[in-house]
């Protein structure tokens, strides 16, 4: 592993982001990390050499630009970008307001795009770099009642990340979409998971999903965040890193369930699918 690399990590005051920061610093990397509140970073990480904490509003492009510039002024370059910031939103499509849905997109999708837009000129100039966009198994499979908007944000991240990978490969820049399953972080706590202000009791499956996630799954996730972070660091040093990095046995199993379901639909409806072209008359 090349400890001379400079990492830029968003959403780093807790969860996978914080674990990543701590492992990287322990390994001798230079790390710039963002949070909405810089005091949270100071408290979580403490005074450490080669660490640059940054207060950033990811929804404001000028704030993101200042963070990128500050990192380069401090460390001279940026080599690895981890778009980790985001939060969960659990509610049916009917009961979530336009404001609630758009806020989730503003952070999970447009915040990530702001970082990419600001960092790519630097990665292009140095003809190298690696962008990790933290998605979710919910960005690959949407079969979670009550998670529709959150899934939509992560599906969006997956879509533009696949396009980005093709856009930037000529510049020596790699892109990896990280798709974790359930990991034992603060993601399902009240500080990271938002629910609708106005709930509709008729959505029994959604209420059940909410109860299960907040009370049964929270704190009992099988995924070890320290191992997830170590996997990301390992992939950052791989000569041919994957575009899709699924993390966790549950993510692996759910990914195959989705692929099998798609294959079943394709083959069951193949005759109809391929019948929709123009009939080609022989010359």
């Amino acid at each position: 592993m090349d400890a001379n690399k400079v990492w830029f990590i968003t959403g780093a005051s807790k969860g996978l982001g914080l674990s990543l920061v701590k492992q990287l610093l322990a390994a001798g990397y230079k790390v710039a990390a963002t949070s909405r509140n810089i005091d949270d970073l100071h408290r979580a990480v403490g005074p450490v050499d080669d660490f640059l904490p940054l207060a950033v509003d990811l929804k404001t492009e000028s704030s993101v630009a200042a963070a990128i510039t500050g990192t380069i002024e401090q460390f001279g370059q940026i080599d690895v970008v981890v778009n980790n910031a985001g939060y969960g939103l659990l509610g049916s499509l009917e009961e979530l307001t336009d404001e609630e849905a758009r806020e989730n997109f503003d952070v999970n999708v447009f915040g990530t795009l702001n970082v990419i837009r600001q960092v790519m000129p630097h990665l292009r100039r140095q003809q190298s770099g690696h962008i990790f966009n933290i998605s979710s198994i919910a960005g690959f499979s949407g079969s979670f009642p009550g998670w529709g908007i959150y899934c939509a944000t992560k599906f969006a991240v997956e879509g533009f990340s696949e396009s980005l990978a093709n856009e930037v490969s000529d510049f020596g820049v790699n892109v990896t979409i990280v798709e974790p399953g359930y990991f034992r972080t603060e993601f399902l706590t009240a500080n990271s998971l938002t629910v609708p202000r106005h709930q509709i009791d008729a959505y029994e499956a959604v209420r059940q999903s909410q109860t299960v996630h907040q009370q049964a799954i929270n704190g009992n996730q099988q995924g070890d965040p320290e191992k997830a972070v170590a996997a990301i660091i390992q992939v950052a040093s791989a000569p041919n890193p994957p575009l899709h990095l699924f993390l966790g046995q549950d993510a692996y199993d759910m990914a195959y369930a989705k692929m099998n379901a798609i294959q079943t639909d394709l083959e069951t409806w193949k005759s109809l699918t391929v019948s929709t072209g123009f009939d080609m008359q022989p010359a």
Side-chain angles (χ1 to χ4, degrees), residues 4 74 145 208:
N4 292 319
Q74 177 79 11
Q208 182 180 6

Side-chain angles (χ1 to χ4, degrees), residues 12-278:
S13 63
K14 58 186 176 181
L16 289 178
L18 178 58
S19 295
L20 181 58
V21 168
K22 290 182 175 180
Q23 283 198 31
L24 288 169
L25 290 172
Y29 289 94
K30 298 177 176 64
V31 179
T34 82
S35 176
R36 287 172 295 179
N37 188 332
I38 198 170
D39 292 335
D40 291 342
L41 287 170
H42 285 301
R43 283 192 295 269
V45 180
V48 183
D49 292 339
D50 293 328
F51 176 57
L52 177 63
L54 298 160
V56 177
D57 176 10
L58 292 176
K59 297 187 295 181
T60 304
E61 194 159 11
S62 59
S63 179
V64 174
I68 297 294
T69 299
T71 301
I72 293 172
E73 290 175 349
Q74 177 79 11
F75 297 128
Q77 64 193 60
I78 295 175
D79 300 292
V80 184
V81 178
V82 182
N83 285 303
N84 172 70
Y87 70 94
L89 180 62
L90 204 171
S92 72
L93 296 182
E94 181 185 350
E95 63 193 353
L96 287 168
T97 66
D98 181 75
E99 178 185 1
E100 289 169 325
R102 287 179 184 273
E103 179 68 15
N104 205 213
F105 270 87
D106 281 343
V107 175
N108 294 6
V109 177
F110 292 104
T112 296
L113 288 173
N114 283 340
V115 173
I116 292 169
R117 193 178 299 113
Q118 293 300 319
V119 79
M120 269 310 304
H122 305 284
L123 302 185
R124 277 195 294 106
R125 279 196 292 270
Q126 67 192 25
Q127 293 288 291
S128 66
H130 197 156
I131 297 173
F132 287 86
N133 290 331
I134 308 298
S135 178
S136 167
I137 186 58
F140 188 80
S141 174
S143 57
F144 301 92
W147 291 89
I149 294 298
Y150 177 77
C151 288
T153 68
K154 294 304 185 178
F155 268 70
V157 169
E158 303 245 349
F160 70 62
S161 296
E162 290 184 358
S163 291
L164 178 68
N166 286 277
E167 293 169 359
V168 302
S169 61
D170 289 343
F171 309 126
V173 177
N174 293 310
V175 176
T176 296
I177 308 162
V178 182
E179 292 136 321
Y182 289 101
F183 279 81
R184 202 170 298 180
T185 68
E186 298 91 339
F187 179 74
L188 295 178
T189 64
N191 290 332
S192 297
L193 180 64
T194 300
V195 297
R197 288 189 293 271
H198 305 291
Q199 298 182 1
I200 301 173
D201 292 338
Y203 284 99
E204 295 180 3
V206 174
R207 298 286 80 77
Q208 182 180 6
S209 176
Q210 182 177 331
T211 299
V212 168
H213 279 88
Q214 292 178 318
Q215 299 181 15
I217 297 176
N218 184 33
N220 296 303
Q221 300 95 323
Q222 292 304 302
D224 183 343
E226 298 304 322
K227 291 180 180 178
V229 164
I232 293 171
I233 296 172
Q234 179 180 336
V235 166
S237 298
N240 296 297
L243 174 56
H244 291 271
L245 177 64
F246 292 93
L247 295 178
Q249 182 68 52
D250 53 353
Y252 180 92
D253 292 341
M254 283 187 276
Y256 264 105
K258 171 67 178 285
M259 289 187 287
N260 290 337
I262 291 175
Q263 185 177 34
T264 297
D265 283 346
L266 279 171
E267 296 308 317
T268 301
W269 295 93
K270 179 181 177 181
S271 61
L272 185 62
T273 297
V274 301
S275 70
T276 52
F278 288 106

